[in-house]
Amino acid sequence: MSSSNHARGSGIVVDTFADLETLLGGVHLDLISLRLNAGHECRPLIAMLLELAGRRGHDIAALDIRAAVDPIAAMVQSGRQSAPLERLAPRLQDLAHYLEDRGLKGSVTKADGRVWHAAGASDAQELGYTLASAVTYLRLLDDAGIAGFVPQDRVDVALAADTDQFGTIAKIRAMRRLWARVLDASGLEQRPLHIHAETAWRMMTRRDPWVNMLRGTVACFAAGVGGADSVTVLPFTEALGVPDSFARRIARNIQTILLEESNVHRVADPAAGSGAVEARTQQLVQEAWALFQDAEAAGGIERAYVDGRITPGIVKVRDERLQRVATRRDPLTGTSAFANLDERPVSVVVAEPVDLSASSRSLELPPPGKGDLMRALVDAVRDGASVSEMTLARGAPSRTQVEALPPMRLAEPYEALRDAADCSFAATGARPAVFLATIGGAADHAARSGWARTLFAAGASRRSRASLRPRMQSRRWRRHSRTAAPASRVSAPPTRCMPTMPKRWRGR
C-alpha cells in the first residue's frame, strides 16, 4: 500500500471500500495468502478486507491473512517514533484479540529485516536485529492474556534476498535456527516460523535495468533453496518508477519458472549437508545471536536504537561496502562494469500522488481493549468510512525524532555520474570523451584497453582510440609523449544540470 515502508511513494492507494473491491476483483480470497503491507493504515485495511470476505460469503477462519504491523521498522526507516512501544502495545493486543475471536490463523505482526538490509546492514546485523524485533513482538502478544493463544504463531519475519546466493541461503536457514533457540530459551512450544523473502532493494539499478532480471532470478532461487515460505520478486524497473504490466509479468514468471520447471519447492532444505553452507549458516547464527544479546542487554531493540547503539555499526558496514563498490572491488554488472552507454529507455507507469490528508467526517473510536477497537473499525467500514477517516480518528500522534536509516542502492554514485553526463549531452550535444592511445597490436593492449574502456564507461565517458604501431615508437615519439601527453577531454556539465548527490557520497 502507499503508506508501506517499501512502497517508496508508489504503492496502491486504497481509501474506500470500493477501492478495495476494485483491487481484489476476481481474486479468490480463500485460495491465496494475503500480506498487508500498509504501514499505519494496516488495521483499517484489515477491517475492510474482513468485511469484503464476509460479503463474498467466505469462511473467515479459512482465510490466510498476514498483517505486517511493524512500528520498529517504520521508526528505523522514517526517523520518527510515533509513540513508545508500551503505548502502541494495546493496539497490537486489541488486533490479536479480534483475530483470535474470529478464528483467523494468520500473523498479527511481522519483524521486517528488509529495512536493515536496505540501509546497508550485513547479513548478521539483519538477522540479529530482526530477531530482536520478533522477540519484542512475541513478548507483547504473550502479555495479551488470551486463553489458548499461541503467540509464536502470530509473528512473521521478512528478510531480503540478494545476489549473494549462498549468503542468502545461509541467512534464511540461520533465521530458523535462531527462532528455535529463542523458543527453547523462552520455554515455548517449538512452532515453525513463517519467513517471507523479497529480492533486495539495494541491489537494484536504474541503468541497464535488464540485468535486474538476472539479479532477481538468483535471489529468488536462493530464497527458495534456503527455505522461504513465500517470495516476492521486485520488477526489474522498480528503481525507475511504477512498474508496468510487462515488468510485473516478468517478476511473476521468474517465480513460476523456478517453481514449475526448476522444482525448487520440492526438496526440503536442499543445502543441508553442504559443508560451505552449513559453516556459513553456523557463523551467521553465532554473530547474529551476539548482536541480539547486545540489543536485549540495552533494554530491547527499541531502546537500543533510540539510544544510538545500533546505527554506528550499520553505518560502518555500509561505508565499507560502498567503498568496495566505488573502487569496483564489488562490481555492479551494467553499472560499474560493462556499462551500456547506448541503452534504450524502458517504460514505467506515471502515477500521480493522491492526497488523503483531508477527511470528510469525524469518527469516534473507542480505546483499544479486547478487540473493541477492531470491532469499531469494522462497523465504521460498514457505515462507509474511508481508510483516511479511520486513520485520522486516532488523533495526531506525538512524533519523536530519532536517527533514520533510509534505504539506499549500491548503484547510486555511478548513476549520478551517468545523470551528469546526460545533462552534458543535453546541453552540448556530445557526451564526455576520453582519448586512449593503444600501442602495438590488439594482443598487446586488449586487456588494458578493455579494462580502461569499462572504467570510463562506468562514468559515462566514451573512448576515442588511436592505434600506434610499434614502429612509431621512435625517440622523437617517446620525447613528444613525455612532454605533450594526450589530455582528457571530459568536460564538466553545467552546475544547474548536476543531480543532487546524497550526503554519504560527498567528498568521496
Side-chain angles (χ1 to χ4, degrees):
M1 300 301 174
S2 59
S3 59
S4 167
N5 295 332
H6 308 283
R8 290 172 281 273
S10 58
I12 299 172
V13 176
V14 176
D15 190 41
T16 65
F17 187 81
D19 293 337
L20 188 64
E21 283 186 306
T22 301
L23 174 65
L24 298 178
V27 176
H28 298 278
L29 302 179
D30 54 340
L31 298 181
I32 64 173
S33 177
L34 284 169
R35 290 185 306 106
L36 292 180
N37 281 310
H40 57 271
E41 298 170 356
C42 195
R43 294 174 191 84
L45 277 171
I46 291 176
M48 280 189 175
L49 183 59
L50 293 178
E51 177 62 18
L52 177 62
R55 294 186 184 183
R56 290 185 179 181
H58 294 303
D59 179 9
I60 300 298
L63 299 181
D64 184 11
I65 299 176
R66 301 192 170 272
V69 179
D70 190 358
I72 294 175
M75 173 189 67
V76 170
Q77 191 174 81
S78 66
R80 296 188 301 271
Q81 185 184 29
S82 59
L85 276 179
E86 56 265 22
R87 289 178 53 191
L88 297 176
R91 294 181 179 273
L92 188 64
Q93 294 165 353
D94 181 276
L95 176 60
H97 273 280
Y98 182 81
L99 296 183
E100 186 73 12
D101 291 342
R102 298 296 303 272
L104 280 163
K105 304 302 181 184
S107 63
V108 176
T109 184
K110 179 188 69 202
D112 199 340
R114 296 171 295 177
V115 171
W116 305 105
H117 188 276
S122 66
D123 288 345
Q125 289 171 331
E126 180 186 355
L127 286 173
Y129 301 140
T130 303
L131 182 66
S133 299
V135 169
T136 298
Y137 299 140
L138 185 65
R139 289 196 186 101
L140 295 179
L141 293 176
D142 194 41
D143 293 339
I146 306 175
F149 186 67
V150 183
Q152 58 268 42
D153 286 345
R154 300 293 185 159
V155 179
D156 283 359
V157 162
L159 297 174
D162 59 22
T163 51
D164 182 358
Q165 177 175 306
F166 291 103
T168 298
I169 294 172
K171 179 169 63 176
I172 296 174
R173 298 176 80 247
M175 188 72 240
R176 296 200 182 278
R177 294 191 188 182
L178 290 165
W179 183 248
R181 191 169 180 178
V182 163
L183 297 184
D184 183 63
S186 304
L188 297 174
E189 179 187 355
Q190 291 290 337
R191 304 294 285 259
L193 174 67
H194 187 282
I195 299 178
H196 175 73
E198 181 178 276
T199 55
W201 167 251
R202 80 182 186 199
M203 73 178 182
M204 303 293 283
T205 63
R206 291 194 297 114
R207 297 292 179 164
D208 204 359
W210 305 98
V211 184
N212 291 329
M213 293 185 188
L214 305 179
R215 297 186 180 101
T217 301
V218 172
C220 182
F221 174 81
V225 171
D229 296 285
S230 56
V231 181
T232 294
V233 176
L234 295 180
F236 73 98
T237 59
E238 182 80 9
L240 291 165
V242 180
D244 62 6
S245 59
F246 173 73
R248 296 195 302 271
R249 187 169 72 253
I250 291 295
R252 180 204 61 190
N253 289 352
I254 287 174
Q255 302 174 71
T256 302
I257 290 171
L258 288 174
L259 283 173
E260 302 301 332
E261 296 191 19
S262 299
N263 296 299
V264 173
H265 65 301
R266 298 197 182 279
V267 180
D269 198 6
S274 166
V277 175
E278 295 287 2
R280 192 160 183 179
T281 301
Q282 185 59 31
Q283 180 185 4
L284 284 176
V285 168
Q286 293 174 352
E287 294 177 0
W289 188 258
L291 293 170
F292 164 70
Q293 288 180 311
D294 291 342
E296 287 290 289
I301 183 67
E302 181 194 30
R303 178 48 45 197
Y305 186 81
V306 172
D307 290 346
R309 297 172 181 266
I310 293 177
T311 303
I314 293 180
V315 170
K316 179 182 178 181
V317 172
R318 180 196 69 192
D319 290 346
E320 289 174 352
R321 179 179 287 107
L322 293 178
Q323 181 64 22
R324 293 196 303 272
V325 171
T327 55
R328 301 204 306 159
R329 288 183 174 87
D330 290 349
L332 304 176
T333 303
T335 302
S336 68
F338 308 107
N340 180 15
L341 299 184
D342 297 316
E343 61 177 308
R344 296 181 179 180
V346 296
S347 63
V348 293
V349 177
V350 178
E352 296 294 333
V354 179
D355 183 15
L356 301 178
S357 60
S359 176
S360 59
R361 59 176 171 168
S362 177
L363 295 179
E364 293 291 335
L365 296 177
K370 295 184 177 181
D372 302 329
L373 177 58
M374 277 301 300
R375 279 189 284 271
L377 289 175
V378 173
D379 291 340
V381 171
R382 292 170 181 166
D383 195 34
S386 66
V387 171
S388 57
E389 290 168 348
M390 289 184 281
T391 302
L392 292 174
R394 300 179 308 168
S398 57
R399 298 187 181 276
T400 303
Q401 290 295 127
V402 297
E403 186 173 2
L405 283 174
M408 45 79 71
R409 291 182 300 104
L410 298 176
E412 288 176 9
Y414 290 99
E415 291 169 354
L417 292 174
R418 297 282 294 274
D419 291 343
D422 288 345
C423 288
S424 177
F425 178 75
T428 65
R431 294 195 176 277
V434 173
F435 180 78
L436 178 65
T438 56
I439 300 177
D444 299 321
H445 61 71
R448 290 178 177 83
S449 62
W451 182 88
R453 180 186 61 80
T454 302
L455 172 66
F456 292 126
S461 297
R462 293 188 179 278
R463 178 193 62 168
S464 58
R465 188 184 70 181
S467 179
L468 306 178
R469 295 295 181 184
R471 60 184 176 83
M472 298 180 61
Q473 300 181 44
S474 62
R475 181 179 302 175
R476 178 181 178 185
W477 167 257
R478 291 196 297 271
R479 183 172 63 252
H480 174 75
S481 65
R482 288 195 300 268
T483 58
S488 169
R489 297 202 298 268
V490 179
S491 58
T495 304
R496 60 183 175 83
C497 285
M498 288 293 288
T500 303
M501 187 80 74
K503 289 183 178 179
R504 58 179 173 271
W505 298 110
R506 297 176 187 172
R508 290 189 179 276

